[in-house]
Amino acid sequence: MNEIVLPLPDDFHAHLRQGEPMRGYVKDLVKEFGRAIVMPNTVPPMTSAKAIADYKQQILEAARETAPNFEPLMTFKLNPNYTEQDLKDMMAVGVVAGKYYPAGVTTNSQDGVSDFESVFPVIAMMERLGLVLCVHGEEPGAFCLERESKFIARVECLAQKFPKLKIVFEHLSTAAAVEAVKRLSANVAATITVHHLMMTLDDIVGDALRPHHFCKPLPKLPTDRMALREAAFSGNPKFFLGTDSAPHAKEKKECCCGAAGVYSAPVALPILVQEFERGNALDKLADFVGSFGADFYGIPRTTKTMKLVKEPWTVPENVNGVVPLAAGQILDWKISEV
Ligand code: NCD
Ligand code: ZN
């Protein structure tokens, strides 16, 4: 097979940052995606309808030239202080989900949730209003390889306490979380990133320290990666693509206290085709990138398409000041320019 036509993918987890760098990151993203859930861990964070409306405008403006139909799906950062009116105001400007960051577990999450039960009243309002809850599932203070598995009980608790709430367990990295998502009710789904399908901890610290692979949650054991691949390749609608593409300037990664995040937007689809091909699951890719997430979020499936062709190309070493995933490597599949 030398070409593949897919639905124009949705990215159900992307970081676009703000200011001038955002313009470049948006341009990279819209080459591969028609819609994206835009994460709210900006500085300052997205916590009001006004800020989110402005941010959405800036994103649309950055996309206009190359992808005038791009649709940013907006999110807010969860805290205990929202009123129902705040949530309604945010929905009116295009917010579809709220993001739960446990305090301190990842980039720009110092202001995250430190008291689990303190956000229950806001989560109850989200359930009533039909807002999706996106969860960064890592337990603060736990050993780094156990942070996700230790958080599973909280996701289970939320699923039981709020049975109508749609919960997305973001960027799964463990076999235990894959099992939990399968076991829990239909209202619990999960995103899987491109890099967690490819990497284990060996790719970060196994032979040399590779700061551009460092991200939260950490890629873990070969058995965890295998479980993620099986989930992505299975055609189970609870698992869909969220790249967690998280650009940090090269110098913020190559330093003594490097930032967490992998910049995968420039290579996401070529790598996914390659990995699904290796997993003999190319027939499952269209739903993974174009149907399951939209169905879960309750938005229409895209009617647009994208074509990739088998044509080797070398991933640039630097894209917009960021070292992308697979920098310098030759990939077999390329997005067709048509
Ligand atoms: C993300 C970022 O840089 O904003 N970093 C990461 O390692 N994934 C935040 C996040 O999603 O955890
Ligand atoms: Zn993220």
Side-chain angles (χ1 to χ4, degrees):
M1 188 155 56
N2 289 320
E3 63 172 61
I4 178 166
V5 177
L6 293 170
L8 183 62
D10 297 320
D11 186 351
F12 280 96
H13 185 136
H15 298 271
L16 294 175
R17 314 305 187 202
Q18 59 255 89
E20 194 45 40
M22 178 203 71
R23 303 180 64 79
Y25 305 152
V26 168
K27 291 200 171 83
D28 291 341
L29 185 90
V30 301
K31 286 182 196 149
E32 305 221 341
F33 296 97
R35 293 181 291 208
I37 285 278
V38 181
M39 285 293 152
N41 64 333
T42 45
V43 184
M46 291 298 141
T47 53
S48 73
K50 166 87 176 72
I52 294 167
D54 288 351
Y55 188 35
K56 185 175 176 185
Q57 271 319 308
Q58 290 159 21
I59 294 166
L60 286 172
E61 211 162 284
R64 186 166 302 142
E65 220 173 278
T66 39
N69 297 319
F70 176 72
E71 260 184 78
L73 306 168
M74 307 308 289
T75 65
F76 66 91
K77 203 179 207 178
L78 184 63
N79 69 47
N81 306 324
Y82 297 104
T83 64
E84 186 151 329
Q85 193 56 49
D86 293 335
L87 300 186
K88 286 181 177 161
D89 291 346
M90 292 194 288
M91 290 172 83
V93 300
V95 163
V96 298
K99 177 72 184 277
Y100 179 144
Y101 288 101
V105 294
T106 191
T107 306
N108 302 337
S109 66
Q110 305 80 350
D111 58 349
V113 176
S114 45
D115 173 2
F116 185 47
E117 296 190 2
S118 71
V119 287
F120 285 8
V122 177
I123 293 178
M125 291 180 225
M126 292 173 65
E127 180 185 36
R128 274 202 301 282
L129 293 171
L131 281 162
V132 173
L133 179 71
C134 301
V135 178
H136 183 115
E138 288 198 285
E139 187 63 23
F143 173 61
C144 64
L145 294 180
E146 293 175 352
R147 284 178 198 163
E148 184 172 286
S149 51
K150 293 248 154 95
F151 199 87
I152 291 171
R154 297 203 191 272
V155 176
E156 287 178 331
C157 168
L158 290 171
Q160 273 156 19
K161 209 170 161 46
F162 305 101
K164 295 212 174 82
L165 177 73
K166 291 192 212 177
I167 302 172
V168 182
F169 199 154
E170 299 288 337
H171 41 50
L172 296 193
S173 68
T174 57
V178 168
E179 282 314 307
V181 169
K182 283 191 205 158
R183 183 174 72 236
L184 288 167
S185 68
N187 282 352
V188 180
T191 52
I192 295 179
T193 76
V194 178
H195 50 283
H196 287 96
L197 284 179
M198 299 165 66
M199 297 199 290
T200 66
L201 194 55
D202 258 346
D203 296 288
I204 306 172
V205 291
D207 52 356
L209 178 61
R210 300 193 185 274
H212 299 290
H213 290 168
F214 172 57
C215 62
K216 302 295 179 70
L218 287 170
K220 297 192 173 66
L221 311 182
T223 46
D224 294 311
R225 177 178 59 185
M226 204 182 299
L228 291 164
R229 294 176 73 88
E230 277 171 18
F233 301 162
S234 69
N236 181 336
K238 283 181 157 234
F239 301 99
F240 48 86
L241 177 64
T243 66
D244 193 15
S245 179
H248 291 278
K250 188 176 192 295
E251 56 278 10
K252 290 268 162 52
K253 300 279 289 175
E254 297 177 4
C255 58
C256 68
C257 189
V262 168
Y263 194 32
S264 58
V267 292
L269 266 295
I271 293 182
L272 278 177
V273 174
Q274 175 183 299
E275 296 304 320
F276 274 70
E277 194 177 35
R278 286 183 185 156
N280 281 321
L282 265 184
D283 60 325
K284 302 291 196 303
L285 182 57
D287 284 337
F288 183 72
V289 303
S291 310
F292 295 156
D295 294 351
F296 187 80
Y297 270 79
I299 58 177
R301 291 183 181 185
T302 184
T303 52
K304 302 186 196 99
T305 56
M306 160 193 272
K307 187 158 98 179
L308 290 105
V309 289
K310 205 161 212 174
E311 190 186 306
W313 63 290
T314 304
V315 179
E317 296 282 354
N318 189 313
V319 181
N320 286 309
V322 182
V323 177
L325 179 61
Q329 290 177 29
I330 296 170
L331 298 181
D332 295 340
W333 288 91
K334 191 174 184 186
I335 292 170
S336 163
E337 297 303 329
V338 238

